[in-house]
Amino acid sequence: MSVTSLHESSGAVNAVFGPVSQIDAGVLDVGYVEAGPADGPAAVLLHGWPYDIHSYEEVTPQLASAGCRVIVPYLRGYGTTRFRSNETFRNGEQAALAVDVIALLDALEIERAIVAGFDWGARTADIVASLWPERCNGLVSVSGYLIGSREAGKRPLPPEAEQQWWYQYYFAIERGRRGYDDNRREFNRLIWRLASPKWDFDDATFDRTAASFDNPDHVDIVIHNYRWRLALADGEAQYDDLEERLAEGPLISVPTITLEGDANGAPHPDPSSYAGKFAGPYAHRTIEGGIGHNLPQEAPDAFAAAVLEVGGAR
């Protein structure tokens, strides 16, 4: 196991949030922030697209002060996370991201953790909780049950729902790939505004996160993720068994709280559509006050409270 730290002078993260450490985990050299006591109950906080670890800048100290060991990793294709080999396929499929989390837990010698996230991070946390419940003490998932399948992705949605996924179809063509590569900061600022229409974020807040999009694998991972969902790109055979299990829509048995912002402008399911997917202790909460898609950053108190509750600390 190899662990190194990158301090504020690296520009990786601001001093308040803490230094970024690096650890070899599976196919990745993962960049992550850690806070709280090393012997505390672990909580792994997972960001989505197009966001990064700064979504948890205010959540992290709350959990650490409550005694949690908090781990906030950059996903593959973001920030300081890198592939350990140039030969590794830049795979954005859902199972690959979940395996990354298990590899990170193994590398950090964490047997069990609360997993929590939004957007891609929520889907990844859902998968970890469903396929590896023995590694999971609880789940907090913004927008609920997001595990999907490529077969489901082939089925057309009602026109208004299809319109919400405009960027997915843009990414399906080479013009979209080039457009995202050439304009990733402008593109992702637009996504922030559309997904959180009432969040009045400033330039400094966006710029802190936008630095993570300069990762050399970022475009490859994002494009592959969305093309894989539509069965326009293949994944890797090593994940086929996991994807077959996920396509069945497995139940989640660990203690779970799902959250939704009252002003989420991104595509998201109605809570009533996924309540039956949680077979263990379960609660859903809608967070009011103009809260959009990036719920941990827009409503950090509510997110931290949910993590502590599923962990039995409240």
Side-chain angles (χ1 to χ4, degrees):
M1 179 174 69
S2 173
V3 181
T4 58
S5 290
L6 301 172
H7 292 281
E8 173 60 14
S9 60
S10 71
V13 75
N14 68 57
V16 174
F17 193 27
V20 172
S21 297
Q22 299 289 139
I23 189 168
D24 290 344
V27 299
L28 300 175
D29 173 19
V30 177
Y32 67 100
V33 164
E34 179 169 358
D39 60 351
V44 178
L45 311 181
L46 302 168
H47 67 82
W49 172 84
Y51 305 94
D52 82 335
I53 62 175
H54 288 93
S55 292
Y56 298 105
E57 187 174 357
E58 294 185 45
V59 172
T60 296
Q62 292 189 47
L63 297 181
S65 66
C68 294
R69 179 185 181 185
V70 187
I71 308 294
V72 191
Y74 284 110
L75 301 186
R76 54 172 60 193
Y78 295 80
T80 63
T81 291
R82 297 289 188 273
F83 285 88
R84 296 171 63 190
S85 169
N86 290 332
E87 304 304 315
T88 303
F89 178 57
R90 274 37 178 176
N91 185 349
E93 71 177 285
Q94 60 180 357
L97 273 69
V99 170
D100 290 345
V101 174
I102 297 300
L104 180 60
L105 292 177
D106 289 344
L108 293 171
E109 299 180 350
I110 296 172
E111 289 298 321
R112 299 175 64 89
I114 297 165
V115 289
F118 72 105
D119 195 82
W120 289 20
R123 179 176 297 105
T124 303
D126 290 346
I127 293 170
V128 171
S130 66
L131 298 186
W132 295 278
E134 72 280 1
R135 305 298 299 272
C136 188
N137 284 328
L139 167 68
V140 176
S141 179
V142 176
S143 299
Y145 189 93
L146 298 178
I147 297 172
S149 72
R150 303 214 303 174
E151 282 304 311
K154 294 177 182 178
R155 294 194 292 270
L157 301 171
E160 287 188 7
E162 294 279 29
Q163 183 185 38
Q164 286 189 302
W165 287 106
W166 64 271
Y167 53 87
Q168 181 170 244
Y169 305 120
Y170 182 62
F171 290 160
I173 60 175
E174 285 307 298
R175 179 187 179 93
R177 179 192 180 89
R178 180 175 176 181
Y180 186 63
D181 195 5
D182 290 349
N183 306 290
R184 64 186 83 173
R185 293 198 179 209
E186 296 88 345
F187 193 102
N188 290 339
R189 186 188 288 271
L190 172 62
I191 295 295
W192 278 35
R193 293 201 306 266
L194 295 175
S196 298
K198 297 186 178 182
W199 182 29
D200 187 23
F201 60 90
D202 59 20
D203 289 343
T205 297
F206 178 77
D207 289 343
R208 276 195 298 272
T209 288
S212 73
F213 310 145
D214 294 333
N215 182 295
D217 302 307
H218 179 73
V219 174
D220 285 344
I221 294 298
V222 171
I223 297 300
H224 184 263
N225 178 282
Y226 286 103
R227 291 183 180 181
W228 180 87
R229 296 191 203 188
L230 295 177
L232 299 176
D234 292 331
E236 293 178 273
Q238 68 198 67
Y239 301 113
D240 286 352
D241 289 345
L242 296 178
E243 294 295 357
E244 288 179 10
R245 293 169 63 187
L246 295 173
E248 296 174 356
L251 296 179
I252 294 174
S253 60
V254 305
T256 299
I257 293 175
T258 57
L259 303 172
E260 189 59 81
D262 65 341
N264 186 359
H268 61 279
D270 186 274
S272 64
S273 70
Y274 54 70
K277 286 295 187 180
F278 300 101
Y282 172 68
H284 174 79
R285 299 192 182 115
T286 298
I287 310 303
E288 299 181 346
I291 305 304
H293 190 60
N294 185 4
L295 193 148
Q297 197 161 2
E298 298 176 60
D301 293 352
F303 193 90
V307 172
L308 293 174
E309 185 170 338
V310 296
R314 280 182 179 261

